[in-house]
């Protein structure tokens, strides 16, 4: 019997006026990690007949409102190919997710290594690392069960990404921007898929619900850490943070929301179909929206200025903070 959460957890949102309120947030997050956590091999009924992963299962077929699912090419494929493409995409997202979280865990441990005794962040970072270990196990177990040759990030990117665990030794603030850059877009996509009724398979649904519940805490910690620390940064370090942030976010959101190259090659998806599904104003709007929360946070912290706003624009992830909906609608209207 699974203990997956029944409702989607929300983030802790508090103003961090002083150190006391910041410490209060960490206390609450620590307590929540003790009270509500899930283990990959204890809380997911992998052997339940309903939870088996079968590649031709029609529950993997992309719904008609999906950007790839709605193309004429996809709809013309036989049902088993439609199911395999759907499963491939889910599994690739999980593989990229577990690779990102591997980098994240190593970075968290590098950060915790140097913390002096008595620092409250130590305990929370260890809770987060423990939870991420279970996420990595559940994602990899899912990928294994597809029996498909799933690859994660493109190789060149994997090589560059090995720098990430060392970022906290240079700037902890930048490291937590990297954390949000990975976690926020994944969370955005997972919440949207669940809310839209996109998820039909109970194993995928269970994994997503567990992930959303625990990521709400990780995202909360990163946000409050930034709220607490960024105002204390020197003007020079702040300027650097302001320029590097949109570069990291733009690159990461694009990786997470792009079509997997091996899938395109394996199924021979024509270039025009890929362009129709992934390279249009609507897809760009989705990438832009997926970093909306962190863009608002950066604006709130006063990190965005007229110069680095051009970098956000160059990466196609700029929108007026707090009025995202209206601006996105305007973008879509223009594209139409
Ligand atoms: Fe995770
Ligand atoms: Fe996380």
């Amino acid at each position: 019997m699974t203990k997956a959460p029944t409702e989607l957890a929300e983030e802790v949102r508090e103003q961090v006026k002083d150190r006391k309120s910041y410490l209060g947030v960490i206390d609450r997050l620590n307590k929540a990690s003790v009270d509500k956590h899930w283990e990959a091999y204890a809380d997911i009924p992998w052997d339940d007949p309903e939870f088996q992963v079968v590649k031709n299962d029609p529950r993997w077929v992309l719904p008609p409102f999906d950007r790839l699912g709605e193309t004429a090419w996809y709809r013309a494929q036989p049902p088993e190919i439609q199911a395999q493409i759907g499963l491939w995409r889910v599994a690739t997202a999980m593989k990229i997710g577990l690779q990102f979280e591997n980098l994240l865990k190593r970075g968290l441990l590098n950060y915790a290594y140097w913390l002096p005794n008595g620092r409250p962040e130590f305990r929370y970072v260890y809770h987060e690392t423990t939870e991420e270990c279970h996420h990595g196990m559940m994602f990899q177990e899912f990928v294994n069960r597809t029996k498909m040759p799933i690859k994660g990030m493109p190789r060149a990117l994997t090589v560059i990404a090995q720098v990430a665990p060392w970022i906290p030794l240079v700037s902890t603030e930048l490291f937590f921007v990297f954390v949000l850059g990975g976690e926020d877009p994944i969370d955005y996509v997972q919440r949207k898929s669940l809310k839209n009724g996109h998820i039909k398979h109970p194993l995928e649904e269970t994994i997503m619900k567990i992930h959303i519940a625990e990521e709400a805490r990780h995202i909360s910690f990163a946000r409050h850490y930034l709220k607490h620390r960024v105002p204390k940064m020197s003007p020079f370090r702040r300027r650097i943070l302001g320029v590097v942030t949109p570069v990291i976010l733009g690159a990461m959101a694009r990786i997470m929301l792009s079509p997997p190259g091996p899938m395109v090659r394996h199924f021979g998806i024509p270039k025009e179909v890929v362009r129709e599904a992934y390279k249009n104003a609507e897809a760009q709007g989705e990438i832009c929206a997926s970093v909306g929360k962190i863009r608002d946070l950066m604006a709130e912290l006063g990190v965005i200025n007229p110069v680095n706003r051009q970098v956000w624009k160059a990466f196609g992830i700029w929108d007026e903070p707090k009025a995202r909906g209206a601006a996105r609608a305007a973008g879509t209207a223009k594209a139409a």
Side-chain angles (χ1 to χ4, degrees):
M1 188 53 193
T2 175
K3 288 196 299 184
T6 47
E7 283 173 14
L8 297 189
E10 288 304 326
E11 288 164 36
V12 175
R13 287 277 185 122
E14 271 184 28
Q15 287 310 315
V16 180
K17 298 180 289 293
D18 48 28
R19 184 152 177 84
K20 199 167 155 250
S21 53
Y22 170 67
L23 295 181
V25 170
I26 297 185
D27 272 350
R28 282 168 59 193
L29 294 174
N30 281 337
K31 188 173 178 323
S33 280
V34 173
D35 292 345
K36 270 189 182 176
H37 58 263
W38 291 269
E39 291 187 21
Y41 290 103
D43 299 315
I44 298 176
W46 295 102
D47 295 326
D48 186 318
E50 266 299 291
F51 279 57
Q52 297 317 297
V53 180
V54 179
K55 66 178 184 181
N56 292 343
D57 187 332
R59 289 177 295 185
W60 300 120
V61 172
L62 299 173
F65 52 80
D66 179 275
R67 287 197 313 273
L68 180 59
E70 71 184 0
T71 60
W73 179 87
Y74 183 82
R75 289 203 310 274
Q77 300 303 306
E80 60 277 12
I81 297 296
Q82 292 191 7
Q84 288 172 29
I85 291 175
L87 177 59
W88 192 299
R89 211 174 59 172
V90 172
T92 301
M94 291 201 195
K95 185 76 190 183
I96 293 176
L98 79 89
Q99 289 175 327
F100 162 73
E101 291 187 343
N102 180 300
L103 299 163
L104 164 74
K105 278 176 279 215
R106 287 188 271 153
L108 288 174
L109 291 176
N110 271 339
Y111 165 63
Y113 189 100
W114 298 100
L115 284 175
N117 295 339
R119 281 284 291 273
E121 290 91 352
F122 183 93
R123 175 176 161 189
Y124 185 71
V125 161
Y126 267 67
H127 279 309
E128 182 167 332
T129 306
T130 307
E131 288 161 12
E132 294 294 13
C133 282
H134 283 285
H135 298 174
M137 286 191 282
M138 68 183 184
F139 288 158
Q140 187 63 59
E141 184 63 39
F142 181 94
V143 171
N144 294 348
R145 284 169 183 248
T146 66
K147 299 190 183 69
M148 288 172 154
I150 300 299
K151 298 260 192 321
M153 294 188 220
R155 180 161 286 276
L157 197 78
T158 277
V159 173
I160 298 168
Q162 300 311 311
V163 174
W166 305 102
I167 301 175
L169 304 188
V170 182
S171 164
T172 52
E173 293 84 3
L174 187 60
F175 177 67
F176 282 102
V177 166
F178 162 78
V179 170
L180 285 178
E183 292 187 333
D184 253 349
I186 294 179
D187 190 63
Y188 173 88
V189 171
Q190 292 186 332
R191 280 176 191 269
K192 207 173 153 201
S193 308
L194 274 178
K195 277 184 192 151
N196 289 348
H198 195 133
I199 313 300
K200 299 275 185 285
H201 196 287
L203 175 58
E204 187 191 5
E205 186 184 2
T206 304
I207 289 176
M208 269 199 187
K209 283 186 171 171
I210 290 175
H211 201 243
I212 289 172
E214 296 192 324
E215 289 306 315
R217 299 198 288 262
H218 305 171
I219 292 171
S220 300
F221 177 74
R223 290 179 69 87
H224 290 89
Y225 182 88
L226 290 171
K227 282 188 179 186
H228 181 56
R229 294 287 297 247
V230 171
K232 299 186 178 84
M233 290 173 87
S234 71
F236 175 71
R237 288 176 73 90
R238 235 170 132 82
R239 267 204 299 280
I240 305 272
L241 183 73
V243 174
V244 181
T245 295
V247 176
I248 290 189
L249 296 182
M252 291 180 71
R254 197 154 270 112
I255 297 159
M256 314 242 174
L257 304 179
S258 294
M263 179 183 92
V264 171
R265 289 189 289 278
H266 185 88
F267 294 101
I269 306 178
K271 268 200 195 106
E272 326 67 87
V273 176
V274 173
R275 211 172 305 127
E276 184 187 341
Y278 290 95
K279 292 179 184 150
N280 52 45
E282 210 183 309
Q284 185 58 49
E286 206 48 8
I287 290 174
C288 187
S290 75
V291 298
K293 284 200 309 187
I294 175 159
R295 188 176 52 233
D296 288 351
L297 175 66
M298 289 295 138
E300 186 187 326
L301 293 173
V303 176
I304 299 176
N305 60 32
V307 177
N308 65 41
R309 188 177 299 139
Q310 299 310 316
V311 185
W312 289 84
K313 285 184 179 165
F315 278 87
I317 51 170
W318 178 249
D319 206 344
E320 285 307 317
K322 303 287 180 208
R324 306 198 301 276
R328 195 160 64 244
T332 314
K334 212 167 31 192

